[in-house]
Amino acid sequence: MTALTASSTIGTWLDDPVGGPIVKGLLEASGATEETLTPLRTLPLQQLVTLSQGKMPQSVVDDLVKQANGGVIPEESEASGAWQETVTSGRFGGQTVVVTGAASGIGLATASRIAREGGRVVAVDVSAEKLQTFAASLPNAEIIPVVGDITKQESVDAIVAAAGERIDGLANVAGVNDDFSPLHETSDAMWDRVIGINLTGAFKLSRAVIPAMIAAGSGRIVNVTSEAGLRGNASGNAYTTSKHGVIGMTRSAAFMYGPQGLRVNAVAPGGVATGIPFPPNVSEAGSARLAPFQSAIPTLATAEQLAASITFLLSEDSVNINGQVLASDGGWSVQ
Ligand SMILES: NC(=O)c1ccc[n+]([C@@H]2O[C@H](COP(=O)([O-])OP(=O)(O)OC[C@H]3O[C@@H](n4cnc5c(N)ncnc54)[C@H](O)[C@@H]3O)[C@@H](O)[C@H]2O)c1
């Protein structure tokens, strides 16, 4: 039998005669129930550390693994039951791809996958330190970190300058959450920040790279929207508006530039286990109204699973696809 490790899925742990009681004991101690973990069943146990946003240290996962294995941490086995990312060697060979939000979560997983598949990645984020850590983690890859804020024209100019004449792909991933507020409670500051980063930033950067793509007669843009771009009950008003806007921008650009060889698509993630922060004071009214719908999320994905969807649309494998919104949400949108 395969040993239970940090890579084994939460479902495998819960169903295991040894692992099940250990995880349930931890849940009980924190006042939670097994049902809390239902959307997480397909995720590796390790993802609990990312999901907890610092509340659960790595040592808790290590202790669970030790408890299940007589006090030792066993070697990881390929057959952990969790989905494994499969790198397609050379898929982005000879290509330059700009990825925003590349220091964390979905953007980081996307930038990493492209770099490991031979692409030259212009990795953009406001976080200099985390970008540096990413670049250092893949010393043999071609990663050009650009520290910048996509809402600022000078940053957009710096990104285009770093990319050079040829830009094969752009992944607009950078984004921020709102405070779950309903429309009449939304402050100007919240609206401006969320629309500014999620929609206007993606617009400004797309506007800046499209001329190079038109000149080359080819190019792919992938915009990251959200389940909140598809429905009204997944987030607050500002975020929902921004992500619906991203879909409109995607469709219009796909229509306008299709004849010139460009393809513009969007990915709509459902719940993803990243450390994406929420503002400190979320709206009580908005949260209460959203809660029953958010608890119906069928499953959470890893950032790497979203990168698989995004890189598919960035690559030539998606050759005949233009103007589409790919819901990468474990089936949430069909509920
Ligand atoms: N995590 C989810 O459940 C989820 C669900 C649906 C959609 N999304 C979307 O996916 C995208 C990525 O989210 P994530 O979960 O990986 O979040 P994340 O917080 O882990 O990563 C977002 C990154 O964007 C960067 N960023 C923020 N503002 C920026 C700016 N102005 N300029 C440059 N970089 C900036 C941040 O520094 C961060 O590194 C976002 O657009 C988000 O709305 C996430």
Side-chain angles (χ1 to χ4, degrees):
M1 209 179 82
T2 319
L4 285 173
T5 66
S7 304
S8 308
T9 65
I10 289 167
T12 307
W13 273 83
L14 284 170
D15 297 342
D16 187 88
V18 176
I22 296 173
V23 174
K24 283 171 205 164
L26 179 78
L27 285 172
E28 265 169 41
S30 61
T33 60
E34 195 178 333
E35 283 68 50
T36 329
L37 292 183
T38 303
L40 313 180
R41 283 186 64 91
T42 58
L43 291 183
L45 183 76
Q46 178 61 40
Q47 287 288 325
L48 289 178
V49 176
T50 315
L51 265 176
S52 74
Q53 304 204 351
K55 289 189 198 106
M56 182 191 273
Q58 180 63 43
S59 58
V60 173
V61 167
D62 291 345
D63 285 346
L64 291 177
V65 176
K66 282 185 198 158
Q67 276 184 57
N69 294 284
V72 291
I73 296 183
E75 292 259 320
E76 287 291 350
S77 130
E78 296 256 313
S80 63
W83 173 82
Q84 305 274 338
E85 184 179 61
T86 307
V87 165
T88 308
S89 182
R91 187 163 58 143
F92 290 98
Q95 298 187 29
T96 293
V97 184
V98 177
V99 181
T100 70
S104 169
I106 299 168
L108 171 62
T110 301
S112 167
R113 176 98 185 237
I114 296 166
R116 285 175 291 130
E117 295 190 345
R120 175 174 173 265
V121 176
V122 179
V124 180
D125 207 287
V126 285
S127 172
E129 204 185 316
K130 287 200 221 156
L131 268 189
Q132 219 42 64
T133 308
F134 164 52
S137 73
L138 292 171
N140 297 325
E142 209 178 342
I143 296 167
I144 296 131
V146 178
V147 181
D149 176 341
I150 53 161
T151 66
K152 303 269 188 303
Q153 190 58 45
E154 62 263 29
S155 296
V156 169
D157 294 342
I159 295 163
V160 174
E165 264 178 36
R166 181 175 158 175
I167 305 174
D168 300 278
L170 165 64
N172 281 311
V173 188
V176 289
N177 277 324
D178 69 8
D179 56 359
F180 290 158
S181 54
L183 193 154
H184 82 285
E185 280 186 15
T186 303
S187 67
D188 283 356
M190 181 58 62
W191 176 267
D192 290 346
R193 175 173 156 78
V194 172
I195 300 290
I197 296 172
N198 295 3
L199 184 55
T200 313
F203 152 68
K204 285 190 178 190
L205 190 50
S206 302
R207 181 175 61 183
V209 307
I210 283 170
M213 292 180 172
I214 291 175
S218 79
R220 276 91 51 204
I221 298 177
V222 177
N223 296 316
V224 173
T225 174
S226 165
E227 198 73 18
L230 307 173
R231 53 172 76 233
N233 62 6
S235 191
N237 188 266
Y239 187 84
T240 303
T241 305
S242 73
K243 294 300 188 179
H244 274 71
V246 166
I247 292 178
M249 183 172 70
T250 301
R251 290 199 168 128
S252 167
F255 171 74
M256 291 286 184
Y257 303 114
Q260 282 138 298
L262 274 64
R263 294 191 290 104
V264 187
N265 292 292
V267 168
V272 191
T274 68
I276 190 167
F278 283 96
N281 300 311
V282 296
S283 158
E284 274 182 36
S287 301
R289 178 79 179 117
L290 291 166
F293 301 96
Q294 289 175 333
S295 66
I297 297 175
T299 180
L300 285 195
T302 62
E304 289 72 23
Q305 290 171 347
L306 264 299
S309 300
I310 295 167
T311 54
F312 162 64
L313 288 174
L314 279 173
S315 79
E316 285 297 4
D317 285 343
S318 59
V319 56
N320 199 32
I321 302 177
N322 192 25
Q324 297 306 303
V325 182
L326 176 62
S328 181
D329 63 356
W332 182 3
S333 50
V334 293
Q335 288 185 168

